[in-house]
Amino acid sequence: MEKQIKIKKVLNNNVVIASHPTYEEVVLIGKGIGFNRKKGDEISSEKADKTFLLSNEQEKEQYVSLLPYIDESLIDFMSDILHHVESRMGQDLNQHIHVALTDHLAFAINRAKKNLQFANPFLLEIESLYPKEYQIAMEVVTMIYDKMGIQFPEGEVGFIALHIHSAVTDKTLRELNRHNQLITHLVQLVEDTMDVQIDKKSVDYHRLVQHLHRAIDRVYQDEHVGDEIRLANMLKEEYPVCYNLAWKLIKVMQRQLNKPVDESEAIYLTIHLQRLTHKT
């Protein structure tokens, strides 16, 4: 049996806010779903191509204020984009992506039309850390080009990948950006200290970035990687430069994250650094 829901506000021809018997307030998106309708009208939930919750009042206000500045065809197209992302990721997305990615793509399209480009300084790190999200972001960029004839610069792929990762992990973009900045800073510190130019396409660089990312996650989850005193002493003697640099990186992480980092992280960082710098 179809559930009848009552319209609370018509945002435009394709978007309405409605009262749902189970989920209270929902946003319905569908071609023409709001056309010639008004507050209090009942409508079948089956009429919507996409239904999502915006339980966060601030996000709802942001979405409502955003819509007047966005072409209605893009709102309709966003349903296709988000359906594609959800299908490719194989899991539900956090509802905040409806606001965040719609907002980002609307302004990215405007920038592209005016030939304005934003550089993405973390592009290589994002591609290394989130390869699946990066691939799907490339597909989204292709969808936009096929539909709207707009060519995004490469940096936009990284930004879209971050939005996708944020939607599947519930981490905020601010948190993700802060961690990417920290990883970029740590890699730069390695290059400066060792006086090397790391090949950002190499397997060893990819492994180092992945390890730093997991190390940051372990800090927040208060996980320990093990206590290998004998191995630490051996590495300290065999590879003193890399061992000391590993501790330098750990101290930077502790300062930036404002949390203690497990001492045994130095062991694995030393191994990564020795492997990477030995080949460079």
Side-chain angles (χ1 to χ4, degrees), residues 26 65-66 80 112 118 124 164 181 194 244:
V26 295
S65 63
L66 179 67
D80 296 334
F118 281 177
L124 290 172
I164 295 172
Q181 287 174 13
M194 305 297 290
N244 289 334

Side-chain angles (χ1 to χ4, degrees), residues 91-147:
Q91 65 183 97
D92 293 337
L93 305 176
N94 186 297
Q95 300 297 332
H96 70 69
I97 194 173
H98 289 274
V99 180
L101 189 56
T102 300
D103 188 10
H104 179 84
L105 289 181
F107 284 97
I109 288 168
N110 285 334
R111 287 196 300 270
K113 287 179 178 178
K114 296 174 182 176
N115 202 27
L116 299 174
Q117 296 188 11
F118 281 177
N120 189 335
F122 312 118
L123 193 64
L124 290 172
E125 284 78 13
I126 293 169
E127 184 179 6
S128 178
L129 288 170
Y130 318 122
K132 185 174 183 180
E133 290 90 332
Y134 195 90
Q135 174 60 40
I136 296 170
M138 290 177 64
E139 294 166 10
V140 169
V141 166
T142 301
M143 288 174 69
I144 292 170
Y145 179 76
D146 290 344
K147 177 81 172 180

Side-chain angles (χ1 to χ4, degrees), residues 2 18 28 42 48 55 79 85 103 114 117 123 130 134 169-170 197 202-203 218 233-234 249 260:
E2 294 182 355
L28 305 180
E42 288 193 341
S55 53
S79 294
V85 171
D103 188 10
K114 296 174 182 176
Q117 296 188 11
L123 193 64
Y130 318 122
Y134 195 90
T169 61
D170 289 345
Q197 184 70 42
S202 68
V203 173
R218 282 194 291 268
N233 289 334
M234 184 271 287
L249 298 180

Side-chain angles (χ1 to χ4, degrees), residues 11 24 32 44 46 52 55 72 84 89 150 160 176 179-180 190 218-219 221 223 243 274 276:
L11 299 182
E24 297 183 1
S44 169
E46 301 296 322
F52 67 93
S55 53
E72 290 190 15
H84 177 79
M89 288 301 297
I150 292 173
I160 295 169
L176 293 176
H179 292 172
N180 289 334
V190 171
R218 282 194 291 268
V219 170
Q221 294 163 12
E223 289 183 6
Y243 186 82
Q274 197 281 329
L276 189 148

Side-chain angles (χ1 to χ4, degrees), residues 186 244-257 259 261:
L186 294 172
N244 289 334
L245 176 55
W247 269 106
K248 194 173 182 180
L249 298 180
I250 285 174
K251 287 175 181 175
V252 171
M253 289 172 64
Q254 288 180 153
R255 188 166 60 250
Q256 293 290 326
L257 300 174
K259 287 178 176 287
V261 177

Side-chain angles (χ1 to χ4, degrees), residues 259-273:
K259 287 178 176 287
V261 177
D262 185 32
E263 293 184 1
S264 53
E265 292 285 357
I267 296 173
Y268 301 96
L269 275 174
T270 301
I271 294 171
H272 280 291
L273 291 170

Side-chain angles (χ1 to χ4, degrees), residues 28-263:
L28 305 180
I29 300 176
K31 197 166 185 64
I33 197 169
F35 178 71
N36 211 21
R37 297 187 186 274
K38 61 184 185 301
K39 181 179 179 181
D41 285 355
E42 288 193 341
I43 186 172
S44 169
S45 59
E46 301 296 322
K47 297 285 187 182
D49 296 327
K50 186 73 178 177
T51 302
F52 67 93
L53 309 176
L54 276 180
S55 53
N56 184 300
E57 192 65 29
Q58 185 178 357
E59 286 182 351
K60 186 179 74 175
E61 289 177 6
Q62 183 183 351
Y63 190 69
V64 170
S65 63
L66 179 67
L67 288 183
Y69 302 97
I70 299 178
D71 192 289
E72 290 190 15
S73 62
L74 176 60
I75 297 295
D76 192 43
F77 186 38
M78 283 301 302
S79 294
D80 296 334
I81 290 174
L82 292 172
H83 178 75
H84 177 79
V85 171
E86 205 163 60
S87 174
R88 289 282 283 110
M89 288 301 297
Q91 65 183 97
D92 293 337
L93 305 176
N94 186 297
Q95 300 297 332
H96 70 69
I97 194 173
H98 289 274
V99 180
L101 189 56
T102 300
D103 188 10
H104 179 84
L105 289 181
F107 284 97
I109 288 168
N110 285 334
R111 287 196 300 270
K113 287 179 178 178
K114 296 174 182 176
N115 202 27
L116 299 174
Q117 296 188 11
F118 281 177
N120 189 335
F122 312 118
L123 193 64
L124 290 172
E125 284 78 13
I126 293 169
E127 184 179 6
S128 178
L129 288 170
Y130 318 122
K132 185 174 183 180
E133 290 90 332
Y134 195 90
Q135 174 60 40
I136 296 170
M138 290 177 64
E139 294 166 10
V140 169
V141 166
T142 301
M143 288 174 69
I144 292 170
Y145 179 76
D146 290 344
K147 177 81 172 180
M148 308 177 76
I150 292 173
Q151 182 71 59
F152 279 168
E154 188 179 13
E156 286 295 346
V157 177
F159 291 129
I160 295 169
L162 282 182
H163 279 286
I164 295 172
H165 186 71
S166 172
V168 297
T169 61
D170 289 345
K171 291 181 180 178
T172 66
L173 284 180
R174 180 179 295 181
E175 186 179 3
L176 293 176
N177 281 324
R178 189 170 66 245
H179 292 172
N180 289 334
Q181 287 174 13
L182 174 56
I183 289 172
T184 300
H185 176 59
L186 294 172
V187 171
Q188 186 63 52
L189 190 58
V190 171
E191 289 185 323
D192 292 344
T193 303
M194 305 297 290
D195 193 24
V196 295
Q197 184 70 42
I198 298 172
D199 179 5
K200 301 300 193 297
K201 294 292 185 180
S202 68
V203 173
D204 289 321
Y205 169 76
H206 176 78
R207 287 171 177 163
L208 175 64
V209 168
Q210 289 283 354
H211 179 82
L212 291 171
H213 176 64
R214 287 193 294 269
I216 291 171
D217 279 345
R218 282 194 291 268
V219 170
Y220 279 98
Q221 294 163 12
D222 196 28
E223 289 183 6
H224 302 280
V225 291
D227 186 14
E228 303 285 351
I229 296 176
R230 289 178 60 191
L231 179 57
N233 289 334
M234 184 271 287
L235 291 173
K236 187 177 181 179
E237 297 226 354
E238 289 287 326
Y239 313 116
V241 174
C242 291
Y243 186 82
N244 289 334
L245 176 55
W247 269 106
K248 194 173 182 180
L249 298 180
I250 285 174
K251 287 175 181 175
V252 171
M253 289 172 64
Q254 288 180 153
R255 188 166 60 250
Q256 293 290 326
L257 300 174
N258 199 27
K259 287 178 176 287
V261 177
D262 185 32
E263 293 184 1

